Amino acid sequence: MSSKSVVFKKICKDKSVGVYMGRRDFVDHVDFVDPVDGVILVDPEALQGRKAFVTLSCTFRYGREDADVLGIAFRRELFLSTRQVYPPLQDREQGIHTKVQARLLRKLGQNAYPFFFEFPDNLPCSVALQPGANDVGKQCAVEFEIKAFSAESQDAKVRKRSTVKLMLRKVQYAPETQGVAPSVETTRDFLMSDKPLHVAASLEKETYYHGELVKVHVDVTNNSNKNIKNIILTVDQIATVVLYSNDSYVKCVAIEDSGDSVPAGGTLKKDYTLHALLAYNTERRGIALDGKLKHEDTNLASSSMIKEGVLKEVLGIMVSYRVMVKLIIGGMMGSSEVGLEIPFKLMHPKPEAVKDSELEEEMVFEEFKRSYLKGMKADDDEEEGNVSGGDDMAPTEK
């Protein structure tokens, strides 16, 4: 039995324009990003002489959209690019860049027109910060969106009923080859102690997949005259928000309070395991999450990988992870700490690519509307026209 190709479809309320896309996840391969491709279906009669446009945008929202404090808006466009698709500015065939576009154009007929965008190098991936229990409004997030609309001109006022929006995601997957397994060590000297404390810690690999246990090997040689009262291990998520300034937020997403002690002159070699899961952090405000489509479950944000040479130009939210190993040292004047920091990556594995030979000619058109989802109330944009248009502009079988 052959599989079917899903096409995402959304049509504005007045039926003048509709968006058709073969995917909504676009992969950042670090060296390049998958381009955004799709097809716009227009109804010349419903357009009533207006033109049709499509826009790709990347928005960083970090507060209520209606808030404006000291002239600083809480919503910033990181990227915005607009194309006129109707009347077409180039030959229809010249706008075809992918096989999906070609198949959609054959399916949808002569009133369908292709669009194509390429991402710049300096855009972050789709990331959102988990809101608190009492937070209202939309969460702080980096979001990508395709918007199609009809208007007299690109700069003219656009009616909501003539506009349709489709959320996209820019994602990254784990490298296919593992780097060197990270390890760190330190030596600490103490007053009134002839010999030092030596601590080494290492991980089994550089990149872990979401849901995997992180095993940490700790090797302690305590030649000092101090007693180690406890060893605490954590997985920390560091979310760096880059906009008007660089602000980093460190959140512990997994912890192992071992209670292990090492007396003066003693040694310890032990493996510890940590499990960094969103399921253990669902009530914590400010945890960075992978961007989501619709309202389905998500996970802790994946590590950000940046193309060499463009780091200073990247705006938005960048995420990294580390294992912290803390040794609590007892003393007459109180406790002190010896800490080690081990960076690692937390990501999804790269899914298997679908071969062109396996692509089926049969297409399934899936309408997307938030209010179709159980328990979800449509937002203002949905009610005013950012909705699927039913079957009025659905393609006829060919």
Side-chain angles (χ1 to χ4, degrees):
M1 184 176 179
S2 62
S3 59
K4 300 177 181 179
S5 300
V6 175
V7 173
F8 299 99
K9 159 195 171 185
K10 201 170 184 185
I11 300 169
C12 68
K13 194 171 184 178
D14 69 5
K15 311 296 190 297
S16 60
V17 292
V19 180
Y20 292 78
M21 300 185 70
R23 56 178 172 165
R24 298 176 66 187
D25 282 346
F26 296 87
V27 182
D28 183 344
H29 303 270
V30 181
D31 292 330
F32 69 97
V33 184
D34 291 343
V36 176
D37 62 294
V39 166
I40 299 297
L41 181 64
V42 302
D43 183 339
E45 184 176 343
L47 283 174
Q48 298 179 342
R50 300 191 304 270
K51 299 176 181 179
F53 303 88
V54 59
T55 294
L56 172 64
S57 63
C58 173
T59 303
F60 184 20
R61 184 179 58 250
Y62 49 104
R64 301 196 320 274
E65 294 191 19
D66 60 348
D68 189 317
V69 180
L70 298 178
I72 301 176
F74 282 78
R75 185 178 185 275
R76 178 169 173 179
E77 298 284 357
L78 302 182
F79 174 74
L80 182 67
S81 181
T82 303
R83 306 267 194 275
Q84 179 179 318
V85 291
Y86 181 84
L89 299 180
Q90 62 177 352
D91 184 82
R92 188 167 177 263
E93 297 301 315
Q94 291 179 343
I96 301 174
H97 290 79
T98 66
K99 292 182 178 179
V100 172
Q101 284 180 315
R103 292 170 60 203
L104 280 170
L105 291 176
R106 290 197 301 269
K107 190 83 169 178
L108 299 174
Q110 292 302 309
N111 288 329
Y113 298 88
F115 65 85
F116 187 83
F117 293 95
E118 291 185 297
F119 289 106
D121 291 332
N122 62 338
L123 295 182
C125 288
S126 300
V127 180
L129 298 186
Q130 183 167 257
N134 299 320
D135 289 346
V136 295
K138 296 182 179 180
Q139 65 195 129
C140 176
V142 174
E143 295 180 336
F144 293 84
E145 181 182 78
I146 279 288
K147 180 175 76 172
F149 61 95
S150 59
E152 284 71 22
S153 67
Q154 180 177 330
D155 300 322
K157 184 177 180 180
V158 181
R159 299 179 300 176
K160 285 187 176 181
R161 61 184 291 106
S162 303
T163 303
V164 59
K165 301 175 183 178
L166 195 65
M167 298 297 296
L168 310 179
R169 282 192 303 195
K170 180 171 175 281
V171 300
Q172 288 182 319
Y173 295 117
E176 295 183 357
T177 57
Q178 284 276 356
V180 177
S183 62
V184 294
E185 56 183 290
T186 187
T187 299
R188 178 68 62 87
D189 291 303
F190 300 97
L191 291 174
M192 311 299 292
S193 179
D194 295 334
K195 296 181 179 180
L197 164 68
H198 182 78
V199 187
S202 60
L203 305 181
E204 294 180 312
K205 53 186 179 179
E206 180 190 36
T207 303
Y208 288 83
Y209 299 148
H210 289 286
E212 279 191 319
L213 293 172
V214 179
K215 183 181 291 186
V216 188
H217 178 72
V218 178
D219 188 345
V220 180
T221 303
N222 185 14
N223 291 323
S224 73
N225 59 7
K226 301 290 185 180
N227 293 321
I228 298 173
K229 299 195 301 181
N230 195 8
I231 299 177
I232 302 173
L233 298 92
T234 62
V235 171
D236 293 342
Q237 180 194 77
I238 303 98
T240 302
V241 180
V242 186
L243 198 61
Y244 298 106
S245 62
N246 288 9
D247 299 319
S248 292
Y249 303 91
V250 180
K251 300 284 186 178
C252 171
V253 294
I255 186 168
E256 172 63 29
D257 191 343
S258 71
D260 290 337
S261 60
V262 184
T267 61
L268 173 72
K269 291 186 178 182
K270 187 173 179 179
D271 290 331
Y272 300 90
T273 55
L274 295 158
H275 205 185
L277 280 179
L278 176 58
Y280 304 146
N281 298 276
T282 55
E283 303 299 322
R284 301 188 57 209
R285 185 177 188 271
I287 297 287
L289 312 176
D290 273 343
K292 59 184 177 180
L293 297 173
K294 301 184 181 179
H295 289 274
E296 76 275 22
D297 293 334
T298 183
N299 50 262
L300 294 175
S302 298
S303 299
S304 303
M305 297 188 297
I306 306 298
K307 184 177 181 180
E308 187 176 356
V310 301
L311 180 60
K312 293 182 179 179
E313 301 174 14
V314 176
L315 298 176
I317 303 174
M318 291 179 289
V319 178
S320 60
Y321 289 89
R322 70 188 182 194
V323 169
M324 289 293 298
V325 181
K326 293 182 181 180
L327 280 64
I328 310 302
I329 312 298
M332 296 180 61
M333 304 298 292
S335 299
S336 60
E337 290 184 2
V338 173
L340 293 86
E341 180 179 323
I342 317 170
F344 72 99
K345 294 184 177 70
L346 183 64
M347 308 187 78
H348 286 293
K350 185 178 180 180
E352 292 186 9
V354 178
K355 297 179 181 179
D356 290 341
S357 59
E358 297 177 356
L359 289 174
E360 300 296 334
E361 286 300 321
E362 186 175 3
M363 289 180 166
V364 176
F365 291 82
E366 178 180 304
E367 296 192 38
F368 178 75
K369 180 179 177 182
R370 290 186 187 273
S371 56
Y372 288 168
L373 301 170
K374 185 177 180 181
M376 290 297 172
K377 182 181 178 181
D379 57 29
D380 292 340
D381 286 343
E382 299 284 9
E383 296 295 341
E384 291 296 329
N386 185 14
V387 298
S388 299
D391 295 327
D392 292 10
M393 287 182 68
T396 55
E397 292 295 332
K398 294 187 177 181

